[in-house]
Amino acid sequence: MVKNRKIASGAVAFLATGLLAANAFAADRSVALNKSIESLEPMKGIVFWPDQAKSQKNLQSAISLEFSYCLPCAVVTGMTGDKLNYDWSSFEKLLDDIKSRGHQAIVRFRIEYPNETIENAPNCTEGVKGATAVPSYFAANSNYLETFSENPGGDGPTYYADWSSTALQWFYKQFYADFAAKYDKDPRIAFVQAGFGHWAEYHIYGTKLNLGSNFPSKDYQSHFLRHLDTLFVETPWSISIDAADDEYTPIAGNKTLLGLKFGLFDDSFMHKEHDISQGDGDNEKNWQTMGTDRWQTSPAGGEISYYEDKDQHEFLNPAGLYGVTWEDAAAKYHMTYVIGNDAPEGQYATKDRVYEASSYAGYKFENTGYAVNKVSAAVRVKNIGIAPLYHNAYITVKGVRSEKSLKGLLPGKEATFTVAGIQIGDSESPEVTITGDKLLKDATIPYKASLDGSAAVIEGLLDENSTAIGKGRFAESRGNRGYEAGKNRATDIKGRNVPGKAAKGAYYPILSR
């Protein structure tokens, strides 16, 4: 009888253990989640200049980006010792104007602009066609001598900065260092474009090239590009595909320079002979020279061609332009954005069509799995777009962010994102949002989801000890960096690090990253 009691006692103990395990498992549950994308995602799509964006009130919700050329001389007022003096007020006005429409900026500081006259900028050379945007205090330096071309390429009078000037070389590097220090984290700026020559597009066609005089030497360009690569952390920077021309630049075939994290912009996208299959194909050849996989880590963008008026006016034609639709061209080059400022002057830029074209560009997210327990949430995300997101953004639940960013999730790939340091009730289905510090205030990234809560619980949940449930290690799937068990930090929406064992979701002091 005693022996039987022991057996019964063991059975009870086993049953109790089994119930505890069942209760623990029951706390891990799939959650229903149904969302549709009802507004354009930030930082992608068709782009207008500010004046066009302002005038096209019915199209403002169909775009998320505005482009503007900017002038170094409009913000640099002089120099004191070894420091540049600034007045950023005109630039701030530009950014705030764009932000007022719920959009973000693409900015390109330029030096040369054929036939352009600068007005209302007292530190620039005003009222002179084709004047450079070099600050006017340079004119007082007798060692600084600009050159002039009467009508290069038929574009009108153009002055060229004196790139033999060591003062100008220092200035341009220091200007970008100061600019990045002030604006790299600014959510009003989505992308920065940089370069030299006409419109900062790496050419001075129609003027005889004189490296080290009317165009920077290849050695200086190399230093400058490597310099830029150290400056921008949060804001992607890009250069023109025309920089593939080895007559002008040192980039082609240079593994070090090609290894820099610059994106590309194409200023004559979708013109009649853009692709090799259409004719000379110089544009496509330039994309190839700069790296066919570059889009996987850095943005591809540009501007619809102005070679013919119809290029801008008709590129949104669903039937295509020169036998190629916008969707086909965008997918081939993994375009995140394109400037189509004159599209409203054609017949195809309806609100629905501009929105459709914008929506097709860049990234697009679908949440394909959602699970929670009492202390964590796991969300599986798939990129169903044509390019990655190039900015940090995070799955956010109950005000706490995943440690891992959605930045870089490639098209067609999925990854699971864990949010720890939260408390979830047994019947609670907390909202999932996608937040980021480079989004405008209160903005989130929309996503789609069609989950009824009946699917098996996805991996990614943590237990109360911040250990991955089910496996000692779980991976963000298909090539994305995985997490290790015990790696238990999350980040709240104010950017603070939160230990995964945070008591009842309480926030902790800032910790080193």
Side-chain angles (χ1 to χ4, degrees):
M1 296 296 293
V2 173
K3 184 176 180 180
N4 289 339
R5 288 196 195 100
K6 287 183 178 179
I7 293 173
S9 176
V12 171
F14 177 81
L15 179 61
T17 302
L19 287 172
L20 286 173
N23 287 337
F25 179 79
D28 307 329
R29 53 190 170 86
S30 291
V31 180
L33 184 63
N34 288 281
K35 291 277 188 178
S36 58
I37 298 174
E38 298 178 349
S39 60
L40 181 63
E41 297 93 340
M43 300 180 289
K44 56 176 275 186
I46 307 303
V47 184
F48 293 159
W49 288 37
D51 285 349
Q52 185 75 289
K54 190 180 300 184
S55 66
Q56 298 293 329
K57 297 187 183 303
N58 66 317
L59 298 181
Q60 288 183 4
S61 63
I63 66 169
S64 69
L65 294 167
E66 299 180 28
F67 168 84
S68 182
Y69 287 106
C70 301
L71 312 176
C73 60
V75 295
V76 177
T77 61
M79 186 172 175
T80 302
D82 60 353
K83 293 183 182 296
L84 296 175
N85 303 323
Y86 292 93
D87 177 0
W88 293 103
S89 58
S90 60
F91 187 66
E92 284 286 320
K93 184 178 179 181
L94 169 72
L95 297 183
D96 284 341
D97 177 52
I98 293 172
K99 177 186 174 184
S100 72
R101 290 181 285 279
H103 301 154
Q104 291 167 282
I106 302 172
V107 298
R108 188 194 308 176
F109 283 92
R110 61 82 172 174
I111 296 294
E112 285 92 9
Y113 195 127
N115 206 44
E116 184 75 358
T117 301
I118 301 173
E119 304 288 355
N120 301 316
N123 295 299
C124 301
T125 301
E126 296 181 296
V128 177
K129 282 190 175 183
T132 72
V134 173
S136 55
Y137 74 84
F138 270 86
N141 186 340
S142 60
N143 294 322
Y144 177 79
L145 299 172
E146 294 188 347
T147 52
F148 176 74
S149 184
E150 183 67 35
N151 191 25
D155 289 322
T158 308
Y159 287 85
Y160 295 92
D162 178 8
W163 288 104
S164 70
S165 167
T166 56
L168 179 62
Q169 294 171 24
W170 175 89
F171 163 81
Y172 213 49
K173 291 176 66 176
Q174 187 60 45
F175 169 77
Y176 271 97
D178 295 341
F179 171 73
K182 185 174 179 64
Y183 287 104
D184 180 40
K185 296 181 179 180
D186 196 312
R188 295 173 297 177
I189 301 176
F191 301 101
V192 169
Q193 299 176 345
F196 303 102
H198 295 175
W199 308 286
E201 291 174 358
Y202 277 92
H203 62 79
I204 53 172
Y205 302 145
T207 296
K208 183 179 179 180
L209 176 66
N210 188 356
L211 290 173
S213 178
N214 61 5
F215 202 86
S217 70
K218 291 184 178 181
D219 183 60
Y220 177 77
Q221 290 181 59
S222 178
H223 284 291
F224 178 77
L225 291 171
R226 285 183 280 127
H227 176 62
L228 282 190
D229 205 49
T230 68
L231 300 179
F232 294 100
V233 177
E234 299 296 332
T235 304
W237 62 283
S238 299
I239 62 175
S240 169
I241 63 166
D242 292 343
D245 187 340
D246 61 7
E247 181 183 4
Y248 282 87
T249 83
I251 299 173
N254 186 310
K255 291 183 178 180
T256 298
L257 296 181
L258 288 171
L260 302 180
K261 58 180 181 287
F262 59 83
L264 296 172
F265 62 89
D266 181 339
D267 61 85
S268 52
F269 197 63
M270 291 184 69
H271 77 82
K272 188 175 183 178
E273 297 188 25
H274 183 280
D275 284 4
I276 295 170
S277 63
Q278 295 175 299
D280 61 40
D282 285 344
N283 293 62
E284 183 175 4
K285 293 172 187 175
N286 286 344
W287 283 98
Q288 293 174 347
T289 297
M290 301 299 254
T292 56
D293 293 334
R294 181 170 295 277
W295 64 270
Q296 295 185 9
T297 54
S298 300
E303 182 173 31
I304 296 297
S305 164
Y306 276 97
Y307 287 171
E308 302 288 344
D309 288 345
K310 67 179 293 184
D311 296 357
Q312 285 268 340
H313 295 171
E314 298 183 19
F315 83 97
L316 291 177
N317 184 345
L321 174 68
Y322 306 122
V324 178
T325 67
W326 155 249
E327 283 77 7
D328 287 342
K332 179 175 180 176
Y333 294 94
H334 301 275
M335 299 291 277
T336 286
Y337 65 86
V338 74
I339 303 168
N341 187 70
D342 289 1
E345 297 175 17
Q347 61 177 307
Y348 299 105
T350 63
K351 181 179 180 180
D352 287 346
R353 179 56 179 149
V354 174
Y355 178 87
E356 179 183 50
S358 291
S359 179
Y360 187 80
Y363 68 94
K364 187 175 292 291
F365 294 134
E366 179 178 7
N367 287 1
T368 59
Y370 181 27
V372 301
N373 60 18
K374 294 181 179 180
V375 295
S376 67
V379 180
R380 189 173 61 216
V381 180
K382 183 176 183 178
N383 183 354
I384 57 174
I386 62 172
L389 172 65
Y390 301 100
H391 301 77
N392 284 314
Y394 306 89
I395 293 296
T396 305
V397 179
K398 303 194 77 170
V400 179
R401 292 175 173 175
S402 58
E403 178 184 7
K404 177 69 177 178
S405 171
L406 281 82
K407 178 180 178 179
L409 183 63
L410 295 176
K413 302 298 183 181
E414 289 184 315
T416 299
F417 299 82
T418 296
V419 179
I422 54 179
Q423 185 179 38
I424 299 175
D426 289 342
S427 60
E428 189 177 1
S429 300
E431 182 182 5
V432 175
T433 57
I434 302 176
T435 65
D437 295 334
K438 281 291 280 186
L439 302 177
L440 295 177
K441 184 180 178 181
D442 298 327
T444 60
I445 293 177
Y447 61 88
K448 64 180 294 186
S450 182
L451 304 171
D452 62 11
S454 65
V457 174
I458 63 174
E459 292 184 17
L461 294 174
L462 304 179
D463 64 19
E464 293 182 352
N465 296 313
S466 298
T467 302
I469 294 172
K471 295 183 179 180
R473 182 187 296 260
F474 66 92
E476 292 195 299
S477 62
R478 305 182 189 178
N480 288 275
R481 189 181 71 181
Y483 293 114
E484 295 182 7
K487 192 172 184 181
N488 57 2
R489 296 196 190 283
T491 306
D492 74 0
I493 57 175
K494 294 185 179 179
R496 299 174 291 191
N497 283 342
V498 184
K501 297 171 70 173
K504 302 184 184 300
Y507 294 133
Y508 279 63
I510 296 174
L511 304 174
S512 60
R513 299 193 177 193

